[in-house]
Amino acid sequence: MKVSQVWQQSNKDMTAMPPPRRAAAKRPMWIIVLLLLVCVALIGAYVYPPRRYSACYFFASSVCTPFKDWLPSVARRERTDEEIVSSVVMRDLLAMPMAVSKNPKIALMFLTPGSLPFEKLWENFLQGHEGRYSIYIHASRERPVHSSSLFVGREIHSEKVVWGRISMVDAEKRLLANALEDVDNQFFVLLSDSCVPLHTFDYIYNYLMGTNVSFIDCFLDPGPHGSGRYSVEMLPEIEQRHFRKGAQWFAITRRHALLILADKLYYNKFELYCKPAEGRNCIADEHYLPTLFNMLDPGGISNWSVTHVDWSEGKWHPRSYRAVDVTNELIKNITAVNENFHITSDDKKAVTMTPCVWNGTKRPCYLFARKFYPEALNNLLKLFSGYTST
Ligand SMILES: *[C@@H]1O[C@H](CO)[C@@H](O)[C@H](O)[C@H]1NC(C)=O
Ligand SMILES: *[C@@H]1O[C@H](CO)[C@@H](O)[C@H](O)[C@H]1NC(C)=O
Ligand SMILES: *[C@@H]1O[C@H](CO)[C@@H](O)[C@H](O)[C@H]1NC(C)=O
Ligand SMILES: *[C@@H]1O[C@H](CO)[C@@H](O)[C@H](O)[C@H]1NC(C)=O
């Protein structure tokens, strides 16, 4: 029985309903019949996948959320012009050989409101590695005051960033575009003003350059802060089952940096329909890249971020480390972690622990960490030579 037939039949049954006076007594029976019909319709939808666009809207609506996992894919719908353009551009971009650089560098891209409190620490980290890195700073609120000459003159044109809005993604894209101008940049790391390095430059350089995988955090959170932020306006290109979540701080290959700049289709959907404080508290920078890569190149990303952050306190903001918190033991603990942790935002609070697998072997997950208060600088500097020698 086809979906439409089920609905027709249900309509027929409705018109044959007895007069209202008698309905009261029979209501429980009618509820059971209606429930049965809904079940039949859902089974029908499963056996005979919806072919039309309108059906696809209906079945993705939140009414059907509990059943979404068993609903079939709507792969047979006709693709839009933009989707065809996007799919050929992305396919070839993912397959084509990339220019090989004789002098590969990592681009350190700082996304900050103003001054960077840990410039001295980064300077220690970068010392002796000239020509193997480049620095870019997007300062969205005020001109940074520098404490290290390595950072002087590295600001790019910047715009205001509003938390959770697409302007955050725009700032990331601005950093990527500037860093891509240098063909020697092969890996692109997004860092904040409260980020610090956890290892020596060589360790981090080899970790990143030794793989073709981008370190983008990505997981399926069925809860209100995950799939709950999806909106049906993202259809037909983005289905709820493809919607993902992940921390903003990425480290990506040149190919994936280009892919982000090449994407218009999915970006537009997030620009238009992923806004905080409009019913759904959708945070563009937590969902755009995880969803994009989950759809276009799921095997090309690690699914965890190489920047550590401690959410274990279960608050709205992650734990921030003060000077007294910065001890050898803390750094040892963070650098020893070799499984990444995700927790869903629904009532189940389901935890998944996944080994951090790098080129086939389990390795420590984290190269950087946040968030540190500026007052932690001196302790970090004292510890740095110690913790980066191992
Ligand atoms: C990755 O693993 C393969 C197979 O074990 C090895 O031959 C290769 O050298 C490794 N790559 C790096 C960068 O370590
Ligand atoms: C990355 O991919 C390129 C091209 O596919 C290949 O030549 C290179 O060996 C790969 N590098 C690693 C570390 O797997
Ligand atoms: C990341 O997750 C996706 C989808 O869950 C999976 O297909 C992919 O293999 C994962 N990546 C790695 C490197 O395990
Ligand atoms: C380090 O890890 C151990 C073992 O999990 C824990 O008992 C200790 O409190 C941790 N120390 C810090 C400073 O996080």
Side-chain angles (χ1 to χ4, degrees):
M1 196 188 299
K2 288 217 166 127
V3 183
S4 51
Q5 287 168 338
V6 175
W7 287 111
Q8 260 161 27
Q9 185 173 337
S10 108
N11 283 341
K12 225 187 300 156
D13 290 351
M14 300 282 253
T15 49
M17 250 188 6
R21 207 159 21 93
R22 285 178 55 210
K26 295 210 170 175
R27 190 169 294 144
M29 191 59 197
W30 277 106
I31 290 170
I32 291 167
V33 170
L34 274 175
L35 279 175
L36 278 174
L37 283 169
V38 169
C39 288
V40 171
L42 283 165
I43 291 165
Y46 181 71
V47 179
Y48 299 98
R51 285 183 196 153
R52 271 164 322 172
Y53 190 63
S54 56
C56 134
Y57 265 99
F58 170 75
F59 285 107
S61 80
S62 52
V63 179
C64 291
T65 302
F67 304 101
K68 68 181 186 308
D69 288 340
W70 27 293
L71 287 177
S73 96
V74 281
R76 263 167 286 177
R77 102 184 135 72
E78 196 174 83
R79 290 178 301 162
T80 60
D81 288 348
E82 290 84 2
E83 277 179 289
I84 296 169
V85 170
S86 168
S87 91
V88 293
V89 170
M90 297 306 174
R91 184 198 59 201
D92 284 14
L93 189 56
L94 288 171
M96 75 188 176
M98 287 276 120
V100 183
S101 164
K102 281 211 188 73
N103 177 33
K105 295 196 273 190
I106 52 177
L108 303 173
M109 310 184 304
F110 290 90
L111 184 56
T112 174
S115 296
L116 297 165
F118 301 119
E119 283 189 10
K120 276 276 169 227
L121 183 70
W122 286 103
E123 186 179 80
N124 282 9
F125 166 78
L126 295 169
Q127 210 146 48
H129 303 287
E130 292 71 27
R132 298 169 77 205
Y133 65 86
S134 28
I135 294 172
Y136 302 87
I137 306 166
H138 186 289
S140 54
R141 206 183 297 151
E142 59 200 21
R143 238 190 130 63
V145 178
H146 298 294
S147 50
S148 159
S149 60
L150 299 180
F151 287 78
V152 173
R154 301 308 305 169
E155 292 91 348
I156 64 163
H157 164 78
S158 309
E159 302 268 352
K160 216 175 120 201
V161 167
V162 182
W163 179 80
R165 293 267 171 165
I166 202 75
S167 57
M168 185 72 94
V169 174
D170 293 338
E172 296 173 4
K173 289 173 74 170
R174 214 170 279 126
L175 280 163
L176 286 173
N178 278 270
L180 280 162
E181 282 204 305
D182 183 344
V183 291
D184 288 330
N185 284 330
Q186 296 291 308
F187 232 94
F188 301 76
V189 186
L190 185 69
L191 299 159
S192 81
D193 48 320
S194 70
C195 282
V196 304
L198 290 172
H199 292 276
T200 61
F201 182 87
D202 279 327
Y203 182 100
I204 289 178
Y205 184 93
N206 293 333
Y207 194 109
L208 296 177
M209 294 297 194
T211 175
N212 279 334
V213 166
S214 284
F215 297 94
I216 294 177
D217 189 28
C218 177
F219 78 110
L220 174 62
D221 175 1
H225 301 156
S227 304
R229 292 172 174 172
Y230 172 82
S231 60
V232 283
E233 283 94 349
M234 291 184 174
L235 285 171
E237 293 88 349
I238 305 170
E239 293 172 46
Q240 188 170 35
R241 67 197 174 99
H242 289 138
F243 198 70
R244 291 292 184 278
K245 179 178 177 167
Q248 173 185 13
W249 311 101
F250 58 69
I252 61 177
T253 62
R254 189 172 179 92
R255 184 189 303 282
H256 285 153
L258 284 169
L259 187 150
I260 292 169
L261 296 193
D263 172 52
K264 268 265 160 274
L265 177 68
Y266 302 100
Y267 171 86
N268 284 344
K269 290 279 167 168
F270 280 84
E271 181 183 29
L272 290 172
Y273 306 115
C274 191
K275 292 176 182 170
E278 283 185 13
R280 287 159 200 281
N281 212 13
C282 185
I283 316 290
D285 56 82
E286 287 185 2
H287 299 281
Y288 169 55
L289 293 183
T291 304
L292 178 73
F293 282 93
N294 178 54
M295 292 182 70
L296 298 181
D297 194 14
I301 60 169
S302 64
N303 299 319
W304 88 85
S305 164
V306 285
T307 298
H308 176 267
V309 69
D310 183 356
W311 283 106
S312 67
E313 290 177 342
K315 299 196 183 135
W316 187 249
H317 288 290
R319 177 172 178 204
S320 290
Y321 302 104
R322 299 205 166 271
V324 291
D325 300 320
V326 178
T327 59
N328 237 325
E329 190 184 312
L330 174 77
I331 305 291
K332 275 221 164 71
N333 278 7
I334 297 175
T335 52
V337 176
N338 59 8
E339 287 186 344
N340 63 89
F341 162 96
H342 286 120
I343 181 163
T344 62
S345 62
D346 55 7
D347 291 338
K348 285 189 204 139
K349 304 244 173 291
V351 169
T352 37
M353 300 290 290
T354 319
C356 293
V357 176
W358 182 96
N359 192 28
T361 31
K362 193 168 169 182
R363 284 190 72 180
C365 304
Y366 302 115
L367 305 178
F368 310 97
R370 59 192 282 269
K371 310 174 69 155
F372 291 82
Y373 281 106
E375 63 172 48
L377 175 65
N378 283 335
N379 281 5
L380 284 164
L381 280 171
K382 261 183 253 158
L383 289 175
F384 185 74
S385 51
Y387 75 67
T388 55
S389 60
T390 47

